Amino acid sequence: MRILVLGSGAREHAIIAALVAEGGHEITAAPGNAGIQRDVEVVRLDIKSPELVTELATEGGYDLVVIGPEAPLVAGVADALQRAGVPVFGPTQAAARIEGSKSFAKDVMARAGVPTGFDTTATTLDEVRAALDASAPPFVLKADGLAAGKGVIVTDDRAAAEAHAEQFLPDGPILVEEFLAGPEVSLFVITDGTDVMPLAPAQDYKRLGDGDTGPNTGGMGAYSPLPWLAERFGSEQAFVDEVVSTVALPTIRAMAEAGTPFAGLLYCGLIVTRSGVKVIEFNARFGDPETQVVLPRIESGFADALLAAAQGTLGSAAPLVWRDSAAVTVVLASEGYPGDPVTGRAITGVEAAEALEGVRVLHAATGEGEQGLTATGGRVLNVVGTGATLAQARDRAYDALSRIELQGGQARTDIAAGA
Ligand code: AMP
Ligand code: GLY
């Protein structure tokens, strides 16, 4: 298959690595990054431009375009490709609102009967205060629109909750949501708008510091599978089946009924509460860094599944074949992340790390200069270890990480430790 992958992060590097490992594909990335460029051809392109992407896709004769990040989805790139008759993995602009608007997502869940926290939508500070009066700490407040990952606050501090609301109210409504207690799980579901194909569950580590301390980040590590989940539900499959029947399928049906069918990757962000599995968010794309641990566990069928989702034939697609393996990824971030990351510093040891068995180093924000590899952003590298068990995968990831040098680099030491 000739495949064009849009995006420039470690998530896209993971998608490309999975397609390369499957074999038999000709892959181009746009715009890619220094790591992706070592694996496949890259093309410089503004991937938020529907016209430019459609031109590249049609002239390049691609069989499939895979959209990694949300920005091109929100910009309508999938719509333009569909109109041009190019199979595209990624939802339309209208369907991507399930990620971009928290209140849209809540409406869909209400119509679909999907379990989620109770919420109140507030449009003034007085309404926010009334909603806070009616709830108990910890308070959960969510800005309605895409807020570059900064729109959600979970806090015991009433003054901080009100300050958050004041900051985001000018941009739109605030959702005051019930706090859901329990471990978080991400489940990715490939869908063509009618049928679904769930992937393996993964867990993300959102906080910067060990023991879930410090500020929220884009994700500092992840692992898959989740043995504690299998214990709790009897098997991982039982958990996946429950999420498919109570969350994914009803949501996909409600989206279709609303005239905004969702085809692509439905990311179900879940909390396993004592009263069942509940949704805290949907995303319209693969999660980062969970993708980096889910995809290495797929043995075959990935590209065919993506194409079937794009063409509306998922119901008759061959099931994915999974490896009986585990994967752990640890993110190496720049000094100063998630605030103001220090960039431009040299990275060494990546080759030595990748020479180890069961190790892949995926690039998130790197550049290739005269002096070699440099860090160009906050989250720089994802060191992925795979193995027969989580313990082995974890040892490999941390062994590999110890070979890599980045001045001031930050990484958690407890990814998958509790699992
Ligand atoms: P988000 O920015 O939407 O990924 O949310 C950030 C984090 O806030 C999530 O990963 C959860 O840890 C937490 N969170 C969101 N909603 C809730 C909720 N209703 N109850 C508890 N924690 C939540
Ligand atoms: N891992 C969180 C996200 O991709 O939104």
Side-chain angles (χ1 to χ4, degrees):
M1 223 185 281
R2 278 175 62 73
I3 307 172
L4 173 63
V5 179
L6 304 184
S8 60
R11 166 185 47 208
E12 288 75 27
H13 200 179
I15 292 169
I16 288 163
L19 294 170
V20 168
E22 198 172 88
H25 307 302
E26 215 179 300
I27 301 159
T28 304
N33 63 35
I36 291 172
Q37 197 169 356
R38 293 176 176 188
D39 295 346
V40 298
E41 175 199 28
V42 302
V43 176
R44 291 231 150 271
L45 184 75
D46 174 9
I47 60 167
K48 294 197 295 300
S49 163
E51 295 76 25
L52 293 176
V53 172
T54 305
E55 196 181 299
L56 174 66
T58 49
E59 283 176 7
Y62 291 98
D63 303 307
L64 174 67
V65 178
V66 180
I67 302 182
E70 61 269 38
L73 300 170
V74 170
V77 169
D79 307 59
L81 288 166
Q82 277 181 13
R83 280 195 298 272
V86 180
V88 53
F89 184 79
T92 61
Q93 190 175 41
R97 284 189 74 209
I98 199 154
E99 169 165 358
S101 167
K102 304 271 185 202
S103 55
F104 178 86
K106 284 286 190 186
D107 286 346
V108 173
M109 285 189 267
R111 273 185 278 119
V114 168
T116 182
F118 296 110
D119 73 290
T120 310
T121 303
T123 52
T124 66
L125 196 54
D126 279 342
E127 285 174 11
V128 171
R129 289 189 178 122
L132 292 174
D133 287 341
S135 62
F139 303 110
V140 180
L141 280 77
K142 301 184 173 182
D144 190 33
L146 273 179
K150 297 196 167 64
V152 177
I153 190 173
V154 181
T155 180
D156 285 327
D157 180 349
R158 165 96 191 212
E162 288 191 22
H164 185 83
E166 256 188 296
Q167 183 192 341
F168 285 99
L169 271 171
D171 305 326
I174 299 282
L175 267 65
V176 180
E177 193 177 68
E178 174 193 8
F179 176 80
L180 300 172
E184 284 182 54
V185 179
S186 304
L187 186 71
F188 302 157
V189 177
I190 292 175
T191 175
D192 62 359
T194 306
D195 290 301
V196 299
M197 186 184 275
L199 305 187
Q203 191 169 46
D204 179 14
Y205 288 72
K206 290 254 166 71
R207 301 284 189 144
L208 181 68
D210 284 354
D212 293 330
T213 55
N216 255 315
T217 70
M220 293 299 290
Y223 67 95
S224 176
L226 277 41
W228 55 271
L229 199 59
E231 239 160 70
R232 205 146 153 177
F233 286 78
S235 68
E236 199 170 82
Q237 193 56 47
F239 168 83
V240 171
D241 290 345
E242 179 178 326
V243 177
V244 164
S245 62
T246 64
V247 175
L249 276 175
T251 299
I252 294 303
R253 280 195 202 110
M255 292 289 284
E257 278 161 16
T260 53
F262 185 101
L265 197 289
L266 182 69
Y267 167 131
C268 305
L270 309 160
I271 293 196
V272 183
T273 77
R274 277 197 289 188
S275 53
V277 181
K278 297 188 179 173
V279 174
I280 51 166
E281 65 168 341
F282 285 122
N283 291 315
R285 44 144 185 100
F286 282 103
D288 190 352
E290 299 97 309
T291 301
Q292 290 84 306
V293 291
V294 172
L295 299 192
R297 300 186 54 216
I298 299 176
E299 170 105 47
S300 66
F302 183 51
D304 285 340
L306 299 179
L307 183 63
Q311 294 183 319
T313 56
L314 199 60
S316 55
L320 293 171
V321 179
W322 292 86
R323 282 181 232 277
D324 188 14
S325 68
V328 173
T329 186
V330 184
V331 171
L332 177 64
S334 292
E335 180 178 348
Y337 177 77
D340 233 340
V342 179
T343 58
R345 285 184 174 157
I347 307 162
T348 57
V350 171
E351 284 77 10
E354 282 211 295
L356 299 170
E357 193 184 343
V359 169
R360 225 17 256 276
V361 178
L362 301 171
H363 293 231
T366 59
E368 197 97 64
E370 272 169 29
Q371 312 297 324
L373 219 50
T374 59
T376 60
R379 289 189 294 173
V380 178
L381 295 173
N382 283 218
V383 181
V384 185
T386 52
T389 63
L390 269 181
Q392 187 179 47
R394 180 181 143 75
D395 286 346
R396 286 175 170 174
Y398 276 106
D399 185 16
L401 180 69
S402 74
R403 319 282 169 124
I404 299 173
E405 293 290 335
L406 167 66
Q407 191 197 336
Q410 314 182 71
R412 283 182 65 155
T413 65
D414 63 348
I415 303 301

